[in-house]
Amino acid sequence: MNPVLRTEGLRKAFGGIVVSDNVNLSIAAGEILGLIGPNGAGKTSLFNLISGVLRPDAGSIFLNGERIDSAPLYKRARMGIARTWQNMLLFRTMTVLDNLLVGPRDYPGESVMRLAFGRGALRVAEAAMRDRAMGILGRMGLEQTASSLVVDLPFGQQKLIGLARTLMNDGPLLLLDEPMAGVEGAAYETMQRVVRQEAEAGRAVCVVEHNVSFIRDLCSRAVFMANGKILQDGTVEELIASDILTELYFGV
Amino acid sequence: MDYLVTIAVLIAIYTILATSYNLVIGYGGLSTVAHPIFFAIGAYTTGLLAVHVPFIPPLGNVVLGMAAAVVASVLLAGSALRVSGDYLLIASLGFQLGLLQLLKNLEFTGGPGGLSAIPSTIVGPMRGPIFLAICGAAALACVFAVRAIVNGPYGRAISAMRDEELAFTALGRNAMSMKIAIFAIGCGMAGGAGGLYAYYFQYLSPDQFDVLASAAILTMVVLGGMGTAFGPVVGAILLLAIPQAITFLQLPPSIMAPTQGIIFTVLVLLFLYLRPSGILGGKA
């Protein structure tokens, strides 16, 4: 089966610092890939290259076989690349529901023309979006927070809202940047369950995470990065068994 | 009576200016000071067409004035926003000063003496009230148009863009084109206000569109409440009515002249201290 995402010889440098050095990566539909490595390894930069925040110096990116590396950030999101952020970047003056409603790929409220001449169609689309958003919040047990401001929620729930907003984009690829950092208890369980459900529904998921047990519970495959290079690509068991991880986390 | 009508017409025109500026800076978060120059573009375009091209109906001239302001604003925003949002402030200031110099030095705009003898179009004793009705209706239309834009799905997108532009763009929203659209709508309204101004006063002077005018419109928005639908209306009424009220005190001119500036400054300082979100804004 063709991978959902494939990168070929991806390279990006800032001056002398190479954050992405000949990265060849592929993720299949339904797969949850763990991306691990020390701070500064280039994990988030790789997400930025794939989602279009950064332009690569060399190499190419394919989404479902289509080359996308010249498309700007917003177009790649419309093509179906959905991502979360390490520091969430929630819309802090807005309610939980409004945060989610901005997320669909084909958000109908962006055109002034439609605002002026297509109000009927706009209302129908809004109602459908609202149902979809409440459905996602329901899966996380957060329906009752819909009309609260996001900043009033506890941290773990804010993390979940970051994921929920991203899930409004129903595209084939989901990139999660440290979804578990600072998350404990019920939110942890929910995060794990929802990510698994998304993969089961056929999305390709890539998770950057320092929490090794989260990776072990969720991922079949893991990639280890350091200094912009992929050093190992295999099963999670192989990675845990190898010296690389021990060295990273225990300094042995 | 004529005097009061003129004040009311001015209030209506400045309501349009303050409301549209509020859309751009208060809701859109686009830092620009050049709002009066789009007012000027509309006013001069309408005035020049009225003087030189008599076969275009007045409404057509006002619409063309708006169109000229929209085109100029798209050119400015399209280039300045490409670099970074902050450059819009500098670019807008340069744009305003440069264009003002052009208006002052070109012969066909009347140079520093201004453009005069714009045809009256409406004559007779009802001229004032008719103009007031037209300007008042236009002001109301602008207030409610801006309210419609900032509520609902488009407004939600605007606030999201202002909160976190990167996350907003990464959700598939084209922030750049939205900013240009907001800027163009706001500046188009200012251009329309300019057209109305040209027809009512029949005379335009380049000095009335300088940075002091920028400060006046900004003060209206801040006083009334930035990012509120009706705040700019309150601001426009207050800032135009207060100076007129002071003239009734019959103070000697040597005191009168600086009094207005002092009162504006004091008002702005008071509001920044006591009520930074304006009269109609929520408690900050």
Side-chain angles (χ1 to χ4, degrees), chain A residues 184-246:
Chain A
E184 295 168 343
Y188 188 100
E189 305 294 326
T190 308
M191 187 77 80
Q192 213 168 36
R193 175 171 49 80
V194 171
V195 172
R196 193 173 281 134
Q197 285 169 349
E198 288 302 314
E200 280 163 5
R203 284 213 220 214
V205 183
C206 183
V207 189
V208 165
E209 190 50 67
H210 286 293
N211 186 326
V212 178
S213 69
F214 183 78
I215 295 277
R216 195 177 44 205
D217 290 349
L218 223 51
C219 306
S220 47
R221 203 179 122 218
V223 161
F224 183 88
M225 276 187 88
N227 298 323
K229 287 195 189 71
I230 292 184
L231 298 184
Q232 189 169 348
D233 183 345
T235 66
V236 178
E237 286 72 29
E238 280 169 6
L239 188 70
I240 290 173
S242 77
D243 299 340
I244 258 173
L245 213 60
T246 330

Side-chain angles (χ1 to χ4, degrees), chain B residues 2-284:
Chain B
D2 271 1
Y3 172 71
L4 286 180
V5 169
T6 298
I7 301 295
V9 168
L10 264 182
I11 287 177
I13 286 174
Y14 273 87
T15 296
I16 301 176
L17 286 173
T19 300
S20 54
Y21 191 48
N22 185 37
L23 171 68
V24 174
I25 196 167
Y27 289 108
L30 301 172
S31 321
T32 160
V33 291
H35 216 58
I37 208 67
F38 296 102
F39 182 41
I41 291 173
Y44 271 91
T45 305
T46 304
L48 286 167
L49 288 171
V51 172
H52 298 293
V53 196
F55 60 83
I56 306 178
L59 181 64
N61 281 336
V62 175
V63 171
L64 287 171
M66 284 177 80
V70 167
V71 171
S73 68
V74 170
L75 290 177
L76 174 64
S79 54
L81 290 174
R82 205 163 285 280
V83 193
S84 142
D86 304 331
Y87 280 86
L88 184 61
L89 182 64
I90 301 158
S92 69
L93 183 60
F95 184 73
Q96 182 177 18
L97 296 176
L99 222 61
L100 264 179
Q101 286 307 315
L102 272 182
L103 289 178
K104 282 182 187 170
N105 290 296
L106 285 176
E107 203 156 321
F108 73 95
T109 60
L115 181 67
S116 53
I118 299 169
S120 169
T121 60
I122 300 168
V123 286
M126 290 306 283
R127 181 176 190 271
I130 291 174
F131 260 106
L132 180 56
I134 294 171
C135 294
L140 272 181
C142 281
V143 171
F144 284 100
V146 168
R147 218 172 74 118
I149 288 171
V150 300
N151 285 330
Y154 198 77
R156 184 191 302 128
I158 294 176
S159 350
M161 178 176 75
R162 213 179 37 216
D163 278 357
E164 283 298 346
E165 191 175 333
L166 182 60
F168 178 71
T169 313
L171 288 170
R173 311 282 76 83
N174 189 347
M176 182 70 165
S177 76
M178 269 192 65
K179 283 182 184 177
I180 293 177
I182 294 167
F183 197 62
I185 294 170
C187 294
M189 286 178 179
L196 295 173
Y197 185 97
Y199 270 119
Y200 184 72
F201 289 96
Q202 298 173 264
Y203 168 70
L204 303 169
S205 148
D207 290 324
Q208 72 198 91
F209 305 107
D210 63 11
V211 229
L212 281 177
S214 307
I217 302 173
L218 178 64
T219 311
M220 289 173 186
V221 174
V222 171
L223 236 66
M226 199 182 264
T228 63
F230 297 104
V233 185
V234 175
I237 293 173
L238 272 183
L239 257 77
L240 288 164
I242 289 172
Q244 305 306 327
I246 299 168
T247 53
F248 285 112
L249 297 177
Q250 309 223 323
L251 300 167
S254 56
I255 300 176
M256 268 304 293
T259 310
Q260 290 192 5
I262 291 169
I263 288 180
F264 282 11
T265 314
V266 169
L267 274 178
V268 170
L269 287 176
L270 273 180
F271 268 83
L272 287 179
Y273 268 113
L274 301 175
R275 209 174 162 85
S277 46
I279 294 172
L280 295 191
K283 283 239 158 60

Side-chain angles (χ1 to χ4, degrees), chain A residues 53 73-74 77-78 81 83 85 88-94 98-99 101-112 115 119 122 126 129-130 165-166 169, chain B residues 145-178 180-182 185:
Chain A
V53 178
L73 177 61
Y74 78 93
R78 289 182 190 178
I81 298 182
R83 72 168 289 181
W85 309 84
M88 301 184 285
L89 304 185
L90 296 177
F91 306 129
R92 58 192 179 282
T93 63
M94 294 163 54
D98 277 342
N99 263 268
L101 290 179
V102 187
R105 283 202 262 177
D106 53 347
Y107 184 65
E110 202 178 325
S111 149
V112 196
L115 189 68
R119 295 188 83 88
L122 204 57
E126 275 272 310
M129 271 169 29
R130 234 164 250 272
R165 183 179 70 179
T166 304
N169 179 327
Chain B
V146 168
R147 218 172 74 118
I149 288 171
V150 300
N151 285 330
Y154 198 77
R156 184 191 302 128
I158 294 176
S159 350
M161 178 176 75
R162 213 179 37 216
D163 278 357
E164 283 298 346
E165 191 175 333
L166 182 60
F168 178 71
T169 313
L171 288 170
R173 311 282 76 83
N174 189 347
M176 182 70 165
S177 76
M178 269 192 65
I180 293 177
I182 294 167
I185 294 170

